Amino acid sequence: MPTPRLSPTEIDTALANLPAWRLRDDGLAITRRFTFADFSEAFAFMTRVALLAEKSDHHPEWSNVWNRVEITLTTHDAGGLSQRDVAMARAIDAMCGRGEGKG
């Protein structure tokens, strides 16, 4: 059974609790940019997120250019945002609460 897609109201509520994340223009994903001191810090962050993603079996779309990491979260089988994306964003933010990444 596919993961249920969040309603517009549920998306608004989730984003109110995830202030660093932005709704993608098409409304089907949330995104966040992280900036680090250098490539090594950015890559170390990506490694920690990768381990988290593997554990939760929910993998982000992302890119890295030197000290920047951009993450997009969406649930393909839901055709948009789901509670899985919200949970992953919260987990990533919790890692950043330890002083990692601006933005």
Side-chain angles (χ1 to χ4, degrees), residues 40-98:
S40 293
E41 282 189 20
F43 192 82
F45 168 75
M46 290 179 72
T47 301
R48 287 188 290 281
V49 172
L51 294 171
L52 178 68
E54 252 328 273
K55 184 177 179 181
S56 64
D57 192 31
H58 191 59
H59 303 91
E61 298 172 14
W62 57 10
S63 66
N64 165 241
V65 176
W66 188 59
N67 70 334
R68 292 183 317 275
V69 177
E70 294 192 29
I71 297 179
T72 299
L73 299 173
T74 190
T75 303
H76 296 286
D77 70 343
L81 284 169
S82 77
Q83 193 56 44
R84 296 184 77 197
D85 304 305
V86 173
M88 179 65 75
R90 282 187 188 132
I92 292 169
D93 282 357
M95 281 195 315
C96 293
R98 295 191 283 251

Side-chain angles (χ1 to χ4, degrees), residues 21-38:
W21 293 84
R22 301 288 174 251
L23 189 63
R24 195 169 67 189
D25 289 342
D26 64 7
L28 300 177
I30 53 176
T31 64
R32 182 172 176 191
R33 173 184 273 194
F34 299 83
T35 304
F36 298 90
D38 56 28

